[in-house]
């Protein structure tokens, strides 16, 4: 149980709390948390297409109070339309299948993830998007137009901040690659950085590593177009299509 290799066995949890000298009132709170931890997340319905290395990402995403993301290549999954996501997933990647049924399941998972932005306790989503991601053709023009409309719609949400880094802003240190930083409501939970590569991902929670990524996000946010200017960029690009 301590290494998270098996589920929490509630009778054992009670015995351990008693052995640790935890007061009954506090022990009940711990047991409630343990029972909640044993309940499978909604994403378990997608175990057939959800890799273990990405399952943790979905779990962190669902629990975070703040999600800050940098994406240089494509619109982030939380802001994608169904058609845009389908075109990306159908292209697949090395070592991954592009079976039609599997693609549909992946798209359904991505659309389900987006529900967190509209729930009562929705997290704050702050996305830095490269102009490259905006201008890269993904599907026919109508798919791109619908995606731009979706970005404009999401940018109006009070819990969503979208900034575009224009070509004209020049080089910046974030060009190493995309990453996501999760911050949680409990001080006991450290900020966590998610970095994905071709066949997996790494999760960073060492304070120095997280601090470096946070500092980078702050620098890029200052260099990128403001949220207000970003909406103008999106509207102008929409007219070009």
């Amino acid at each position: 149980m301590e290494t998270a290799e098996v589920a929490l066995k509630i009778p054992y949890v009670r015995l351990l709390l008693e052995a640790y000298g935890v007061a009954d009132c506090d022990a009940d709170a711990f047991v409630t948390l343990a029972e909640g931890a044993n309940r499978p997340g909604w994403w378990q319905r997608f175990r057939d297409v959800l890799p273990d290395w990405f399952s943790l990402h979905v779990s962190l995403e669902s629990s975070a109070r703040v999600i800050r993301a940098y994406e240089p290549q494509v619109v982030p999954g939380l802001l994608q339309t169904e058609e845009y996501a389908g075109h990306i997933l159908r292209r697949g990647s090395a070592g991954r299948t592009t079976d039609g049924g599997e693609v549909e399941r992946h798209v359904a998972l991505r659309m389900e993830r987006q529900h967190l932005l509209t729930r009562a306790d929705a997290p704050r989503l702050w996305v830095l998007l490269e102009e490259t991601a905006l201008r890269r053709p993904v599907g026919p023009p109508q798919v791109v137009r619908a995606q731009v409309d979706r970005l404009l719609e999401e940018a109006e949400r009070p819990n969503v901040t979208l900034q575009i880094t224009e070509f004209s802003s020049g080089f910046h240190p974030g060009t190493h690659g995309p990453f996501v930083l999760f911050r949680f409501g409990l001080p006991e939970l450290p900020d966590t950085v998610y970095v994905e590569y071709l066949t997996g991902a790494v999760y960073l929670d060492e304070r120095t590593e997280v601090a470096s990524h946070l500092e980078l996000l702050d620098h890029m946010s200052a260099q990128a177009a403001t949220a207000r200017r970003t909406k103008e960029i999106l509207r102008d690009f929409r007219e070009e299509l």
Side-chain angles (χ1 to χ4, degrees), residues 18-114:
E18 182 179 347
Y20 299 154
V22 177
D24 289 343
C25 58
D26 292 329
D28 289 340
F30 275 110
V31 169
T32 299
L33 288 173
E35 291 173 340
N38 282 344
R39 288 193 292 270
W42 61 262
W43 53 90
Q44 295 303 318
R45 305 196 312 271
F46 296 91
R47 283 180 296 179
D48 56 320
V49 295
L50 185 61
D52 291 340
W53 55 265
F54 193 65
S55 180
L56 179 56
H57 178 283
V58 180
S59 175
L60 295 175
E61 187 177 73
S62 299
S63 304
R65 298 304 308 138
V66 177
I67 303 171
R68 296 186 66 178
Y70 167 64
E71 179 52 70
Q73 300 297 340
V74 296
V75 172
L78 288 177
L79 300 177
Q80 291 177 5
T81 65
E82 187 171 348
E83 293 77 14
Y84 184 97
H87 277 279
I88 289 177
L89 291 167
R90 274 190 289 275
R91 296 301 298 270
S93 63
R96 301 184 192 177
T97 180
T98 55
D99 175 77
E102 186 170 326
V103 168
E104 290 181 3
R105 292 284 289 159
H106 276 290
V107 172
L109 168 61
R110 192 161 295 184
M111 296 302 103
E112 189 76 21
R113 285 170 52 206
Q114 296 178 2

Side-chain angles (χ1 to χ4, degrees), residues 129-158:
L129 187 67
E130 289 284 350
E131 186 176 347
T132 304
L134 183 64
R135 293 188 175 276
R136 183 184 300 280
V138 177
Q142 62 266 27
V143 171
V144 180
R145 281 195 292 269
Q147 181 60 71
V148 173
D149 289 341
R150 172 68 182 277
L151 290 175
L152 284 166
E153 178 183 337
E154 295 295 333
E156 295 298 330
R157 292 190 187 279

Side-chain angles (χ1 to χ4, degrees), residues 172-190:
H172 62 78
T175 51
H176 295 295
F179 63 91
V180 182
L181 188 146
F182 299 106
R183 174 162 290 173
F184 307 94
L186 297 174
E188 295 84 2
L189 297 178

